[in-house]
Amino acid sequence: MFNLILFGPPGAGKGTQSEKLIEQYNLIHLSTGDILRSEVAAQTELGLQAKKLMDRGDLVPDEIVIEMIRSKVEAGLDANGFIFDGFPRTVAQAEALDILLSNLGISISCFLALAVDEEELINRLLNRGKDSGRADDADENIIQNRIAEYVNKTAPLIGYYKGQGKFKDVVGTGSVDDIFNRLCESIDVLIN
Ligand code: B4P
């Protein structure tokens, strides 16, 4: 299996690029943001709990997202591989993912990090907020909180995956197609 973590700060384009990568490489897309938003839309107990945190731009507790991912991975083991989009977001999530995958006899193949500067991130998210209906895109203070959560809790994953020799950074600015081509170049080196 080829198992990719697509990493980056909020608004880096993880969701945008994952949509294209799953087509190109026939992978299963696992976005914890999308899964959480579908729980919110279905008004499940988990969704109601998560909504308050997401609307403020805070991370949802590790135990919740780890359990969500566990069931999706176990259900998708006959696929070519997975793209993890927005997960892991803390070192505890990364450690839990390593244990989950190793118990299933698989592992992360690479960790591609989209690099985008803060001004561009804020512009993209405010822009999406105009018509997405997402409360976490509507207000610059909430976006700043999401970026702070990223810096404090998520960015340490770069060191974690560098330690495993799986880290590769990719310029995340420019056209969607240019960024996609850069990601494909990094992936093709690994799978060919
Ligand atoms: P996510 O849904 O993961 O969202 P994201 O970080 O906002 O976005 P992404 O990087 O995917 O950006 P996108 O492609 O959409 O998380 C939302 C919330 O869920 C979190 O704040 C947290 O509360 C919770 N959550 C999720 N996972 C969690 C976890 N593991 N643990 C705890 N909590 C968790 O792109 C953004 C915008 O930029 C779009 O409008 C897009 O069109 C635009 N764009 C993309 N590429 C562009 C380009 N090249 N040029 C210009 N614009 C571009």
Side-chain angles (χ1 to χ4, degrees):
M1 283 180 111
F2 181 77
N3 299 311
L4 165 69
I5 295 175
L6 191 56
F7 181 82
K14 304 180 293 288
T16 305
Q17 295 297 333
S18 293
E19 293 298 335
K20 295 171 74 72
L21 291 169
I22 52 169
E23 295 250 322
Q24 177 83 4
Y25 297 102
N26 200 16
L27 303 171
I28 293 184
H29 182 196
L30 292 181
S31 157
T32 40
D34 287 350
I35 302 168
L36 287 165
R37 280 185 289 277
S38 68
E39 295 280 341
V40 171
Q43 297 192 312
T44 62
E45 197 178 318
L46 188 159
L48 294 173
Q49 226 182 313
K51 184 176 185 330
K52 288 186 208 133
L53 297 161
M54 293 171 78
D55 284 355
R56 290 204 299 256
D58 291 342
L59 292 184
V60 170
D62 289 336
E63 313 78 72
I64 291 185
V65 281
I66 290 165
E67 280 316 305
M68 281 177 358
I69 282 287
R70 181 190 308 282
S71 56
K72 302 278 180 192
V73 169
E74 286 171 353
L77 285 173
D78 53 351
N80 280 349
F82 298 101
I83 295 186
F84 295 95
D85 159 10
F87 179 88
R89 254 181 163 95
T90 63
V91 170
Q93 291 180 20
E95 288 168 348
L97 180 62
D98 276 347
I99 292 169
L100 166 67
L101 297 184
S102 122
N103 286 341
L104 296 167
I106 55 177
S107 60
I108 292 300
S109 312
C110 76
F111 176 93
L112 296 182
L114 289 168
V116 179
D117 66 63
E118 189 170 322
E119 191 184 341
E120 168 82 7
L121 296 174
I122 294 171
N123 285 338
R124 285 185 189 179
L125 294 173
L126 285 173
N127 214 18
R128 181 171 65 187
K130 287 179 194 154
D131 46 29
S132 69
R134 276 179 59 169
D136 61 343
D137 284 343
D139 176 311
E140 190 164 342
N141 289 329
I142 295 172
I143 293 173
Q144 291 285 7
N145 184 42
R146 289 164 64 191
I147 294 174
E149 286 277 82
Y150 167 80
V151 169
N152 295 328
K153 299 178 184 168
T154 307
L157 288 175
I158 293 172
Y160 182 87
Y161 286 100
K162 273 186 178 167
Q164 294 191 357
K166 293 177 179 172
F167 171 89
K168 170 101 180 62
D169 59 341
V170 174
V171 175
T173 47
S175 76
V176 169
D177 283 341
D178 284 347
I179 298 163
F180 176 65
N181 289 334
R182 282 178 213 135
L183 291 167
C184 291
E185 277 171 23
S186 296
I187 294 171
D188 291 344
V189 167
L190 294 167
I191 59 179
N192 288 325

